[in-house]
Amino acid sequence: MAEWTKQLKTGQPVAPPSDADASLFGPLAGEVTGLARTLTRVRAAAEREARLRLRGESVWTEERLKQFVQMRFGASPIFVLSNREPVSHVRDGAAIRELQPASGLVTAMAPIMFACGGVWVAHGSGDADRIVGERIGLPADDPAYTLRRVWLEPDEEAGYYYGFANEGLWPLCHIVHERPQFRAADWAHYRAVNEKFAATVLEEMERVESPVVLVQDYHFALASRYIKRERPDARVALFWHIPWPNFEAFGICPWQEEILLGMLGADLIGFHTQFHCNNFLETVERTIEGRVEWDDFAVVRGHHTTHVLPFPISVAAEPEERAPAVDDPPAMLETPVEFLGIGVERIDYTKGLPERFRALRRFFERWPEYRRRVVFVQLASPSRSRIPRYQQLQEEIHEIVRRINDEIGEWGWQPIVYHERHHEHREIRAWYRAAQFCVVSSLHDGMNLVAKEFIAARDDDDAVLILSRFTGASRELRDALLVNPYDIEGTAEAIHRAIEMAPAERRDRMSHMRAHVREQNIFRWAGMLMSELTRIPRGDRPGVTAAPGPS
Ligand code: ADQ
């Protein structure tokens, strides 16, 4: 034992004596052995962190994120709260099948939970979810985290999800000239459902000390406050995946104060861009009592401080050797085409689908030499179809596509190939890789992950991204062809330019964007968010002394 203690002091990682004798010094030996094990673990972790620090700007990976989270939070699980579940179970005849929803939030959060483990609380919305279970391990073949499902009654879902979240807050935050609907009954459901989800999160983290909670999106503006009220020791971040409008626009919401107070329950609020953070801080400054510290991008109310910072979300951008094998380029087109364009969207009025199709039409009118040579494939996933505005949009899109194909199409050639269904990520990747250009024409979009997925899916530089300047992504992807989607003529010109672009310029632009997405990936996003969260002292409320963070 003496020999071993000496070696330990020199900093050598030596294993403790295996069986300390059970004599007089037995208990002491046991204690020392335990201490030594802890020391060894801590030293190994510190060395790992030092190595990561040394690498400085090195790329964030799933493994690095895992190590980082373990370092900062120990073995403590992470709790995520979102409306959409990462996997829903749906009936398929007599069988039950897994479905990964078409959602930017799920695309972004799934790799994080996979890396870090924990509990993801979400609405069980699949028609076979109850059969499969309320608490399940995911991924099913090798579980890394737990999905805890919350069940909603039809009227709760109608009021909270379709009503206040999607007919109220969604159009309120997106500047697309869609009038928000504010119904008191929806708001009552929204509050109650926020409480219900918060209660489930509280239940899941009952025995966890100083838990880390990541609340997601506009469905849960109030949950952070409910969680912190019961568990002031929790560190809560709220990430808002959609834009934040200016204060005049937000000011039409009858329950604006309560929404802001609910959000400010969080210790950290993240948006995609600094612009959205500034809009939010200005809204707070003009709407409720509290001090906005512009130097620090924080809101102070009583003893509680909420930091408001940008975290531009991204995709996993897997390195080539880990990327799943992709099928051959889609062989579904009638005839081989010279130039393939691709669009991938949920059917939503913020995504600018009619505008995009009109621009394509204009392109074929102005440059008829490209008829029969260019095909645009649109993958469109029906979304929120119970809301009348969404049904109306779906019909409008069918009509535009039909008209363009009738009027411009020729025997054996359809300018727009429209696939309206949910697609597997593998299928989408195959289309991304086969295309020469991708069009993202959102009228307003927090970030837009399709733009980043298109870039990440490629292993060549031979493609062009046409990107709306009203997306968060346009602030980062400066080498895309930026367009104003309301300007049909301008977007048609961008399509023409993409097709005629010299190979050298195409490669130059794409290689810059690939390097950017590779570095600014989703693991970095999570790392930055978590790292910011650890800087926040625990027990942040009157009468409770703030304990230092674990770092
Ligand atoms: P969304 O509005 O859902 O996300 P986006 O970021 O483009 O928009 O993500 C859509 C996701 O759904 C992508 O992963 C895409 O591949 C997938 N998808 C689209 N069409 C599909 C189809 N037909 N079948 C299957 N999958 C499909 C919100 C905000 C965005 C923000 C994200 C993440 O509105 O601005 O980028 O959250 O924060």
Side-chain angles (χ1 to χ4, degrees):
M1 175 72 75
E3 186 51 37
W4 167 71
T5 319
K6 254 189 242 155
Q7 278 182 315
L8 199 70
K9 278 197 287 190
T10 66
Q12 298 305 310
V14 275
S18 49
D19 43 9
D21 68 45
S23 65
L24 179 61
F25 297 111
L28 179 63
E31 279 296 309
V32 176
T33 310
L35 193 67
R37 280 212 190 93
T38 312
L39 269 175
T40 315
R41 260 205 316 272
V42 170
R43 181 181 295 129
E47 280 169 4
R48 245 182 353 237
E49 166 110 320
R51 275 202 304 278
L52 291 176
R53 282 227 190 87
L54 266 182
R55 279 190 239 147
E57 291 307 313
S58 77
V59 172
W60 279 80
T61 58
E62 186 181 314
E63 186 51 32
R64 181 172 170 191
L65 177 66
K66 199 185 276 179
Q67 290 181 5
F68 176 81
V69 170
Q70 270 166 13
M71 177 91 52
R72 296 293 174 99
F73 300 103
S76 176
I78 289 171
F79 298 87
V80 167
L81 169 59
S82 74
N83 172 71
R84 184 66 68 219
E85 52 184 347
V87 168
S88 41
H89 288 96
V90 291
R91 287 172 206 272
D92 190 358
I96 290 176
R97 136 178 107 75
E98 277 193 0
L99 190 89
Q100 184 172 352
S103 146
L105 185 154
V106 168
T107 306
M109 296 305 295
I112 297 169
M113 286 308 272
F114 190 73
C116 305
V119 183
W120 186 331
V121 175
H123 173 211
S125 56
D127 61 8
D129 278 359
R130 285 179 200 252
I131 302 170
V132 177
E134 187 174 66
R135 277 183 117 256
I136 58 169
L138 286 177
D141 47 1
D142 183 17
Y145 67 94
T146 303
L147 166 63
R148 166 71 196 270
R149 287 171 165 152
V150 175
W151 314 117
L152 292 181
E153 296 302 322
D155 62 332
E156 286 178 321
E157 189 183 4
Y160 137 81
Y161 177 74
Y162 290 105
F164 191 69
N166 284 321
E167 287 192 290
L169 285 176
W170 177 266
L172 179 70
C173 290
H174 288 94
I175 309 298
V176 292
H177 314 287
E178 182 66 30
R179 190 180 181 146
Q181 305 290 324
F182 298 122
R183 291 178 285 255
D186 289 349
W187 170 241
H189 277 302
Y190 184 85
R191 288 165 88 186
V193 169
N194 266 249
E195 288 248 29
K196 183 170 178 171
F197 275 93
T200 308
V201 173
L202 288 165
E203 184 190 314
E204 287 289 333
M205 65 193 206
E206 215 163 31
R207 274 178 284 279
V208 180
E209 210 186 309
S210 304
V212 170
V213 188
L214 307 177
V215 178
Q216 305 298 313
D217 229 356
Y218 63 100
H219 309 92
F220 295 115
L222 309 177
S224 303
R225 192 178 184 199
Y226 299 149
I227 293 169
K228 277 293 261 201
R229 195 176 58 193
E230 302 302 318
R231 290 292 303 269
D233 65 317
R235 272 175 292 197
V236 179
L238 164 64
F239 191 78
W240 199 261
H241 291 256
I242 63 176
W244 190 271
N246 62 42
F247 83 94
E248 286 103 330
F250 189 74
I252 66 168
C253 176
W255 306 290
Q256 50 182 313
E257 290 180 19
E258 200 173 325
I259 288 173
L260 294 175
L261 294 177
M263 293 173 75
L264 290 171
D267 301 298
L268 176 65
I269 301 178
F271 293 96
H272 292 300
T273 67
Q274 185 64 53
F275 185 68
H276 299 153
C277 293
N278 293 354
N279 277 350
F280 178 78
L281 288 170
E282 197 176 346
T283 308
V284 168
E285 194 164 61
R286 295 181 181 242
T287 314
I288 56 171
E289 299 249 334
R291 195 171 76 246
V292 173
E293 296 191 339
W294 284 97
D295 293 352
D296 227 11
F297 295 105
V299 181
V300 182
R301 296 189 68 258
H303 291 261
H304 184 72
T305 303
T306 306
H307 296 266
V308 180
L309 295 169
F311 301 94
I313 211 163
S314 193
V315 292
E318 296 151 289
E320 264 324 291
E321 67 272 18
R322 285 214 39 209
V326 192
D327 313 331
D328 283 340
M332 300 154 79
L333 301 172
E334 283 173 70
T335 44
V337 287
E338 214 177 315
F339 299 101
L340 176 67
I342 181 79
V344 181
E345 262 83 23
R346 287 186 303 104
I347 300 176
D348 194 296
Y349 52 78
T350 59
K351 302 292 181 185
L353 288 160
E355 287 76 3
R356 170 183 320 177
F357 297 139
R358 284 190 202 109
L360 277 159
R361 174 196 198 113
R362 192 69 196 116
F363 162 77
F364 287 116
E365 282 168 1
R366 277 181 67 183
W367 292 281
E369 65 273 27
Y370 282 111
R371 294 182 186 200
R372 306 192 74 92
R373 294 170 63 197
V374 175
V375 167
F376 190 82
V377 172
Q378 177 67 50
L379 312 184
S381 175
S383 173
R384 307 174 191 170
S385 318
R386 270 170 55 180
I387 300 175
R389 177 68 182 90
Y390 283 76
Q391 294 161 9
Q392 193 191 325
L393 173 71
Q394 208 168 345
E395 278 161 29
E396 186 191 344
I397 289 171
H398 294 170
E399 181 54 23
I400 294 179
V401 171
R402 193 191 55 74
R403 259 209 335 264
I404 296 176
N405 282 341
D406 272 5
E407 290 169 21
I408 300 206
E410 296 165 13
W411 190 84
W413 173 71
Q414 270 194 334
I416 299 173
V417 175
Y418 183 71
H419 293 300
E420 190 180 275
R421 67 172 169 85
H422 183 271
H423 289 72
E424 301 279 319
H425 273 296
R426 275 173 55 85
E427 289 178 276
I428 299 177
R429 260 178 87 93
W431 284 107
Y432 283 146
R433 290 165 71 102
Q436 276 80 42
F437 67 100
C438 173
V439 182
V440 171
S441 54
S442 311
L443 306 182
H444 201 188
D445 216 330
M447 172 55 70
N448 190 283
L449 290 182
V450 168
K452 292 188 173 180
E453 285 172 359
F454 175 65
I455 292 165
R458 315 277 315 187
D459 50 14
D460 61 2
D461 289 331
D462 209 13
V464 182
L465 173 65
I466 298 171
L467 178 62
S468 159
R469 59 176 68 256
F470 307 128
T471 58
S474 72
R475 312 252 160 167
E476 294 174 65
L477 304 174
R478 310 304 296 186
D479 283 291
L481 295 184
L482 297 183
V483 294
N484 167 2
Y486 290 95
D487 174 7
I488 303 299
E489 216 58 45
T491 309
E493 280 161 18
I495 296 170
H496 182 243
R497 194 169 158 211
I499 287 170
E500 298 219 327
M501 190 180 283
E505 182 183 350
R506 210 155 54 205
R507 279 196 286 274
D508 209 34
R509 286 171 177 269
M510 194 45 133
S511 70
H512 285 150
M513 292 195 288
R514 280 180 64 204
H516 179 89
V517 173
R518 208 178 305 123
E519 271 168 32
Q520 310 285 317
N521 60 32
I522 186 64
F523 303 113
R524 183 173 189 279
W525 176 84
M528 296 295 117
L529 190 92
M530 305 276 211
S531 146
E532 213 39 68
L533 204 50
T534 48
R535 297 192 335 154
I536 292 161
R538 286 176 275 173
D540 190 5
R541 64 157 189 190
V544 176
T545 323
S551 50

